[in-house]
C-alpha cells in the first residue's frame, strides 16, 4: 500500500518543492509555499493512448464564435459581447459585493434552456429567498447544493445544461484528493475538472472565486491561467455603485468596464456613467474642471477639483489624489 507524501506548493505559480523555501525559485515570490499532503496511488496497468486522434487544421470549423446574450448590456460589454460557448469565466470580488446576485440574474436571463446553479455556500432555501427578492421565476433554472466536483461533472455530462454556475470554487472538493476544500491542490484540480467538461460539451461555465487579504484571487495563480476570462467586481459596501472589469479575456478586450448600481431589486446597469459622475457638480463654481477619459470604447466624463487651503509651513505642499502628480 502506497504511503501519502508531503510536498510544498507555491500558491502563486503552483510550483512544487520537497521542502519549505522562503522564496519560490519559479516565480521569485516570498512566503508563498504551503504544505500539501498528496495521496500516492500505485497501479501496474499502463495508460492506453491508442484512442487518441488529431484533426487537420483545415477541417476544423472556423465559423464565428457562438455567444449567449445575458440580456445585461454592461455584463455583455465586459465579456466582449456575451458568454462564449465552452468558455470558463472566473468571477471574483469582496464578500457581499454582489457576485451571487448578478449571477442569479444572469442565470435567469439565459435560461431558455436548462441552467445549472451549483452552490456550496448556501442552502436551497437561501437561494430561493434571493430569487424572490430579485424577481427570478424560471422553470429552467436548476439549483443544486453539492460540493463534490466529480459528482457535479457527471451530472453535467448527463443533463447537458445550457450553462453552469459554480458558487464557489473554494467550497468544492475532489474526492480522489485527501487535502481539504479550499487548499491549493483542491482548487486547481476542481477547476481543471470543470474546465474539461466545459470544453468537451461546449457548456459555458462561470466560477466564483474568493479573494484573500491582499485583494488577489485565493488559490494558486495557475487557476487564472487555466480559465478563459477573469472578472473582478469592485466597489465599496457603503456605496451602492459597483464596477465590473476584466483582468483577462481571451474573447474580448480587457479595457472595458461595466457599471452597476445595487438596489433592493438587484444590480441594475448604469448605461450613462458620465451623468452619474457629474450629478453633484455645481455650475459656476471655480476650482473644478470637466475632462473625458477613455475606458475601452467608452468615453466617460469626470470632474477634477483643485482645492487650496492656508498652511503654516514655509513652502506650500502640493498633493494629488487619483491623478499622476507629475
Amino acid at each position: 500500500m502506497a504511503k501519502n507524501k508531503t510536498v510544498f506548493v507555491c500558491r502563486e505559480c503552483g510550483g512544487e518543492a520537497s521542502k519549505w523555501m522562503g522564496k519560490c525559485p519559479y516565480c521569485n515570490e516570498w512566503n508563498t509555499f504551503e504544505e500539501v499532503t498528496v495521496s500516492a496511488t500505485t497501479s501496474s496497468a499502463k495508460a492506453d493512448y491508442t484512442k487518441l486522434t488529431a484533426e487537420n487544421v483545415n477541417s476544423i470549423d472556423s465559423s464565428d464564435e457562438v455567444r449567449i446574450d445575458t440580456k445585461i448590456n454592461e455584463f455583455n460589454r465586459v465579456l466582449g459581447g456575451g458568454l462564449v460557448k465552452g468558455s470558463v469565466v472566473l468571477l471574483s470580488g469582496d464578500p457581499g459585493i454582489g457576485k451571487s446576485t448578478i449571477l442569479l440574474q444572469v442565470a435567469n436571463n439565459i435560461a431558455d434552456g436548462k441552467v445549472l446553479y451549483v452552490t456550496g455556500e448556501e442552502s436551497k432555501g437561501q437561494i430561493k429567498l434571493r430569487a424572490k427578492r430579485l424577481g427570478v421565476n424560471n422553470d429552467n433554472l436548476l439549483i443544486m447544493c453539492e460540493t463534490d466536483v466529480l459528482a457535479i461533472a457527471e451530472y453535467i455530462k448527463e443533463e447537458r445544461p445550457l450553462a453552469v454556475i459554480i458558487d464557489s470554487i473554494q467550497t468544492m472538493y475532489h474526492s480522489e484528493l485527501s487535502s481539504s476544500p479550499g487548499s491549493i491542490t483542491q482548487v486547481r484540480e476542481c477547476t481543471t475538472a470543470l474546465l474539461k467538461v466545459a470544453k468537451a460539451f461546449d457548456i459555458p461555465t462561470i466560477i466564483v472565486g474568493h479573494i484573500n487579504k491582499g485583494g488577489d484571487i485565493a488559490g494558486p495563480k495557475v487557476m487564472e491561467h487555466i480559465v478563459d476570462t477573469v472578472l473582478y467586481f469592485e466597489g465599496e459596501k457603503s456605496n451602492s455603485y459597483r464596477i465590473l472589469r476584466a483582468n483577462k479575456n481571451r474573447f474580448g478586450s480587457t479595457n472595458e468596464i461595466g457599471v452597476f448600481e445595487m438596489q433592493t431589486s438587484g444590480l441594475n446597469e448604469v448605461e450613462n456613467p458620465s451623468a452619474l459622475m457629474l450629478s453633484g457638480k455645481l455650475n459656476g463654481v471655480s476650482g473644478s474642471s470637466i475632462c473625458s477619459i477613455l475606458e475601452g470604447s467608452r468615453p466617460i466624463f469626470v470632474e477634477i477639483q483643485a482645492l487650496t487651503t492656508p498652511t503654516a509651513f514655509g513652502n506650500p505642499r502640493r498633493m494629488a489624489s487619483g491623478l499622476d502628480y507629475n
Side-chain angles (χ1 to χ4, degrees):
M1 180 178 180
K3 296 181 179 179
N4 294 342
K5 66 176 182 177
T6 299
V7 297
F8 293 86
V9 181
C10 175
R11 63 172 175 266
E12 294 294 329
C13 66
E16 294 185 3
S18 58
K19 61 181 180 179
W20 186 88
M21 289 185 287
K23 183 179 181 181
C24 176
Y26 306 103
C27 64
N28 296 323
E29 294 292 333
W30 288 90
N31 298 323
T32 57
F33 273 101
E34 295 182 357
E35 186 176 0
V36 175
T37 302
V38 180
S39 57
T41 57
T42 58
S43 176
S44 58
K46 294 184 178 180
D48 183 14
Y49 296 106
T50 57
K51 297 181 180 179
L52 293 179
T53 60
E55 191 172 353
N56 189 298
V57 67
N58 294 324
S59 64
I60 299 175
D61 184 14
S62 60
S63 58
D64 293 337
E65 59 197 15
V66 179
R67 291 183 181 265
I68 299 175
D69 183 12
T70 65
K71 300 177 184 177
I72 301 177
N73 294 331
E74 295 295 302
F75 200 81
N76 287 341
R77 177 192 293 272
V78 178
L79 289 174
L83 277 172
V84 177
K85 285 194 173 182
S87 65
V88 179
V89 178
L90 178 62
L91 176 63
S92 182
D94 291 324
I97 204 70
K99 302 184 296 295
S100 300
T101 298
I102 194 171
L103 290 182
L104 196 58
Q105 292 178 239
V106 169
N108 181 58
N109 291 345
I110 65 177
D112 296 331
K114 291 181 180 179
V115 174
L116 179 63
Y117 189 107
V118 182
T119 174
E121 300 179 348
E122 298 176 291
S123 66
K124 295 179 181 179
Q126 290 174 312
I127 298 294
K128 178 60 178 178
L129 289 175
R130 182 184 295 117
K132 290 176 65 177
R133 177 172 60 85
L134 300 177
V136 173
N137 185 15
N138 197 319
D139 292 335
N140 289 325
L141 179 55
L142 309 178
I143 306 297
M144 175 187 289
C145 295
E146 180 58 59
T147 56
D148 187 347
V149 74
L150 295 182
I152 296 170
E154 286 300 320
Y155 182 86
I156 295 173
K157 291 177 184 178
E158 294 177 3
E159 296 296 327
R160 307 284 179 90
L162 182 67
V164 176
I165 296 173
I166 306 293
D167 188 6
S168 65
I169 191 63
Q170 276 76 20
T171 62
M172 299 294 145
Y173 75 95
H174 198 292
S175 57
E176 296 180 358
L177 301 175
S178 59
S179 53
S180 59
S183 64
I184 293 175
T185 307
Q186 286 284 1
V187 170
R188 183 181 65 224
E189 295 304 321
C190 288
T191 305
T192 304
L194 294 170
L195 175 76
K196 289 180 179 179
V197 177
K199 298 298 182 184
F201 301 102
D202 281 339
I203 300 173
T205 303
I206 303 178
I207 300 173
V208 175
H210 294 166
I211 64 173
N212 53 31
K213 293 180 180 179
D216 300 321
I217 299 177
K221 205 71 176 177
V222 69
M223 181 175 64
E224 299 181 42
H225 301 307
I226 292 175
V227 300
D228 299 304
T229 304
V230 179
L231 303 181
Y232 279 90
F233 223 5
E234 304 172 357
E236 299 291 336
K237 291 184 179 179
S238 58
N239 196 327
S240 61
Y241 297 103
R242 308 283 189 266
I243 293 178
L244 180 68
R245 66 175 73 245
N247 190 46
K248 169 189 175 182
N249 193 353
R250 288 175 178 162
F251 308 107
S253 172
T254 56
N255 296 322
E256 299 286 356
I257 65 170
V259 184
F260 298 86
E261 182 180 9
M262 178 65 81
Q263 297 181 352
T264 55
S265 59
L267 281 162
N268 295 339
E269 51 186 336
V270 178
E271 298 181 355
N272 188 0
S274 297
L276 172 67
M277 300 291 184
L278 304 178
S279 59
K281 184 181 183 302
L282 300 177
N283 295 326
V285 177
S286 60
S288 68
S289 177
I290 305 299
C291 73
S292 176
I293 61 174
L294 194 65
E295 286 283 351
S297 60
R298 168 186 287 180
I300 300 177
F301 290 96
V302 296
E303 179 184 4
I304 300 177
Q305 297 179 347
L307 307 176
T308 60
T309 181
T311 177
F313 297 101
N315 296 322
R317 182 182 179 187
R318 295 177 175 86
M319 300 179 63
S321 177
L323 293 171
D324 186 357
Y325 176 80
N326 296 321

